Amino acid sequence: MPQQPPIKLWELAGENPLISMSHLVWRVRLLLAYKGQSYKSIPWRFTEKKAIQPFDKVPVMEFRGQQMGESLDISKFLEKEFPEPAVFNTSCQAGNASMDFILSWSNTTFVMAAFPVVLMDIYKHLAKEDLRYYRESKEKMFGSSLEDFSADQPAKLKAFRAMLEPLRHTLQQFRFLGGDKLNYADIAVAGNFLWLKSISETQLLEKEDPVYEWRDRIFKQFEDTINKAHTYPV
């Protein structure tokens, strides 16, 4: 019998368990691939709270019997456990302050600009048991129906593209967000784009956009990992 990998990763899954629906989970997936570490994926849904207690959201990772949550904490643990190749404290030309800014920006500004563009795509890919929970929780958060929040898609898409300007500015100077080589800022933003690629066929980027070229290179670098999940060809 083949030996099971020592790492287990609980991932937010859609009705199709191959759809990984969390940008935070995608960051851990990419980092594990970059570190050359295999893992066992465990699909999880919003209504399965008890399965990941004492945590209340994914990703949750188990390594040699130790469980941990929060994508950044997991990522820093993996960096310590598997230090090469490094993704933190890499002395990149863009600077660690730039990485801190991009992480904060990708967790807030990026996600909130993307939500109205892909919200109904997310909804249609959810497991049936999650539909009611998701609608009620998000409508409470947004203060409107899902349909109203995501109305006027052309305007929402235009706003999303405009929001990417900090990335363009960096990528016009450097090959990666980390400078001349990939670091955790690249993994974080790529994880966001893979979340969108997993659930939406919307063409979010124009081909002449520097962000498109960067994203395409990152996707090719992690092609084996991406191909294990359900994604759309965008």
Side-chain angles (χ1 to χ4, degrees):
M1 180 178 294
Q3 186 176 4
Q4 290 293 316
I7 298 173
K8 296 178 182 178
L9 181 65
W10 281 260
E11 308 188 42
L12 177 60
E15 181 70 16
N16 177 351
L18 294 179
I19 299 177
S20 189
M21 300 185 67
S22 166
H23 61 293
L24 300 174
V25 169
W26 268 111
R27 295 176 187 183
V28 177
R29 288 178 67 129
L30 293 179
L31 185 56
L32 285 166
Y34 195 57
K35 300 287 189 181
Q37 300 301 311
S38 61
Y39 64 94
K40 179 181 179 181
S41 173
I42 303 175
W44 176 86
R45 274 92 183 192
F46 285 114
T47 49
E48 298 173 343
K49 299 291 187 184
K50 290 183 179 180
I52 59 169
Q53 287 181 342
F55 307 99
D56 62 357
K57 61 182 179 180
V58 292
V60 171
M61 190 183 80
E62 181 177 298
F63 180 72
R64 295 175 180 167
Q66 177 185 355
Q67 288 192 343
M68 61 201 78
E70 298 294 337
S71 63
L72 186 56
D73 291 344
I74 292 171
S75 297
K76 289 183 175 181
F77 173 87
L78 291 171
E79 180 85 340
K80 183 178 180 181
E81 196 72 26
F82 309 104
E84 296 297 334
V87 294
F88 292 99
N89 299 319
T90 54
S91 299
C92 68
Q93 296 103 316
N96 287 330
S98 175
M99 177 160 63
D100 291 343
F101 166 77
I102 291 173
L103 291 181
S104 177
W105 171 87
S106 66
N107 289 337
T108 54
T109 305
F110 185 114
V111 171
M112 290 310 298
F115 251 127
V117 180
V118 301
L119 186 59
M120 297 313 297
D121 293 320
I122 296 172
Y123 188 72
K124 76 179 183 181
H125 285 88
L126 289 170
K128 292 182 177 62
E129 59 266 32
D130 280 351
L131 291 173
R132 180 177 177 181
Y133 167 86
Y134 190 83
R135 177 175 286 277
E136 290 179 352
S137 62
K138 289 299 181 283
E139 289 183 348
K140 182 179 180 180
M141 176 189 298
F142 299 139
S144 69
S145 69
L146 302 185
E147 291 77 8
D148 287 346
F149 185 77
S150 57
D152 193 1
Q153 284 290 291
K156 299 295 194 326
L157 180 57
K158 183 178 180 180
F160 174 80
R161 289 173 173 170
M163 173 274 308
L164 295 172
E165 193 56 36
L167 294 191
R168 294 189 190 96
H169 178 73
T170 301
L171 293 170
Q172 285 165 355
Q173 302 175 69
F174 303 107
R175 180 168 170 79
F176 294 97
L177 298 177
D180 63 356
K181 62 181 180 180
L182 177 146
N183 75 1
Y184 193 71
D186 295 278
I187 285 175
V189 179
N192 284 17
F193 275 113
L194 281 165
W195 160 55
L196 302 175
K197 181 177 172 64
S198 298
I199 47 84
S200 180
E201 296 181 83
T202 300
Q203 297 291 334
L204 295 168
L205 300 175
E206 297 171 314
K207 289 190 175 182
E208 60 271 20
D209 191 331
V211 181
Y212 182 99
E213 189 275 334
W214 165 85
R215 185 191 67 171
D216 190 53
R217 277 191 286 108
I218 298 292
F219 285 0
K220 287 178 180 177
Q221 181 173 351
F222 289 96
E223 187 172 21
D224 289 345
T225 297
I226 294 171
N227 287 342
K228 293 176 183 178
H230 170 282
T231 62
Y232 288 103
V234 295

